[in-house]
Amino acid sequence: MAATRDTSQRRLQISELVRQHGSVQVTSLAHRFGVSAQTVRKDLRYLAERGVMARAYGGAIDSGVMNGAAVEPNYEAKCTTHLDEKRRIGACAAALIKPGDTVVIDSGTTAIQLAEAVQDIDITVVTNDYGVLTALAPKNNITIVMLGGELRRRNMAFYGGLTVEALDALHVDKLFLGVDGFDLERGITTHYEPEALLNRKMVETARLVIAITDSSKFGKICLHRIIPVTALNMLITDTGAPEEIIQASQQLGFELQLA
């Protein structure tokens, strides 16, 4: 992109980028607008002082995220956006599940596509997601362990102390982890604190941690952190993944599969 040196125009564009993506990074903005990192930091400071965004390490976050505002899309919107990509990711993830495996399938619309794609074979699936349960129920060879708790209707999944405690005695081969936000510096994040707590417990129980997400989640930062990117064993996403994610897989040592 050509250099954007007009201050007011650049700051307006930065504001729009934050609204679209939930977060921005200093280095990528400097490259995008053809200005120095110091200039970008001044822009972010100016916008943060006016409540447009909140400063964060290496960049800024949508102020709505930091204030706990309802920035999470509703369930119906999640189910219909990026559906083709989610189906491809689900099929790619399902191919990793072998007879005899015990796996955790996290909540989320990509997880439901994984559940739809998995073969009716002798495996055990642990989940807290109602949609995953519905997709797996007709597959008679699959043993389903449903984690209890309180139903959160916003994403049709169960959370709470009972849900976390149910994982205490479990050890599983693979965790397929859904993603709300994926940022190389801030890690894997979610909108909902009980989900972050549950996901961290899922990570503890699993031998392999596999994130499944479409590329729209890259660069987004939600309020509650689950794990750093370095804790991943594998990432399955679509071919729209940015180059920095491909480079990070090589530098940080997690396997990358593009569906």
Side-chain angles (χ1 to χ4, degrees), residues 208-229:
L208 293 176
V209 179
I210 304 165
I212 52 174
T213 181
D214 67 83
S215 57
S216 70
K217 306 296 176 58
F218 296 126
K220 289 187 177 180
I221 302 171
C222 305
L223 187 57
H224 302 287
R225 188 184 189 190
I226 301 170
I227 53 172
V229 175

Side-chain angles (χ1 to χ4, degrees), residues 19-35:
R19 279 193 291 271
Q20 288 177 356
H21 301 289
S23 67
V24 290
Q25 295 295 314
V26 169
T27 52
S28 61
L29 289 176
H31 177 74
R32 181 187 184 97
F33 294 113
V35 297

Side-chain angles (χ1 to χ4, degrees), residues 9-225:
Q9 181 66 21
R10 187 179 60 250
R11 288 174 177 173
L12 183 63
Q13 291 182 37
I14 290 173
S15 300
E16 182 60 28
L17 287 169
V18 171
R19 279 193 291 271
Q20 288 177 356
H21 301 289
S23 67
V24 290
Q25 295 295 314
V26 169
T27 52
S28 61
L29 289 176
H31 177 74
R32 181 187 184 97
F33 294 113
V35 297
S36 69
Q38 182 179 5
T39 296
V40 171
R41 290 189 187 97
K42 288 180 181 178
D43 291 340
L44 298 183
R45 191 177 308 116
Y46 174 90
L47 293 168
E49 288 171 354
R50 283 149 184 81
V52 175
M53 61 189 66
R55 291 285 281 118
Y57 179 75
I61 305 173
D62 189 312
S63 57
V65 173
M66 296 306 293
N67 292 329
V71 296
E72 181 182 5
N74 64 44
Y75 186 68
E76 290 75 15
K78 288 181 179 181
C79 287
T80 56
T81 56
H82 305 285
L83 187 55
D84 288 342
E85 292 91 337
K86 291 173 181 177
R87 284 173 175 156
R88 297 199 306 270
I89 293 164
C92 186
L96 299 175
I97 301 176
K98 308 301 180 185
D101 277 352
T102 297
V103 303
V104 174
I105 300 181
D106 181 30
S107 62
T109 50
T110 306
I112 293 172
Q113 294 304 318
L114 164 56
E116 293 278 4
V118 73
Q119 296 182 45
D120 186 6
I121 55 177
D122 181 20
I123 58 173
T124 297
V125 176
V126 180
T127 190
N128 68 312
D129 189 278
Y130 180 81
V132 171
L133 170 65
T134 302
L136 293 177
K139 302 179 182 184
N140 295 323
N141 291 306
I142 297 178
T143 299
I144 305 168
V145 178
M146 189 69 189
L147 300 175
E150 182 178 349
L151 177 65
R152 182 181 187 239
R153 287 181 173 81
R154 187 165 185 86
N155 66 333
M156 293 305 291
F158 293 87
Y159 299 100
L162 290 173
T163 325
V164 175
E165 289 173 12
L167 287 165
D168 278 339
L170 298 181
H171 297 281
V172 301
D173 299 302
K174 303 176 181 81
L175 162 63
F176 294 94
L177 181 66
V179 168
D180 286 332
F182 190 112
D183 182 83
L184 293 176
E185 290 189 13
R186 304 286 288 186
I188 296 174
T189 54
T190 181
H191 299 283
Y192 187 50
E193 184 176 17
E195 183 170 27
L197 294 171
L198 177 62
N199 286 164
R200 285 196 289 270
K201 187 67 174 181
M202 289 175 172
V203 170
E204 289 178 17
T205 68
R207 185 172 56 85
L208 293 176
V209 179
I210 304 165
I212 52 174
T213 181
D214 67 83
S215 57
S216 70
K217 306 296 176 58
F218 296 126
K220 289 187 177 180
I221 302 171
C222 305
L223 187 57
H224 302 287
R225 188 184 189 190

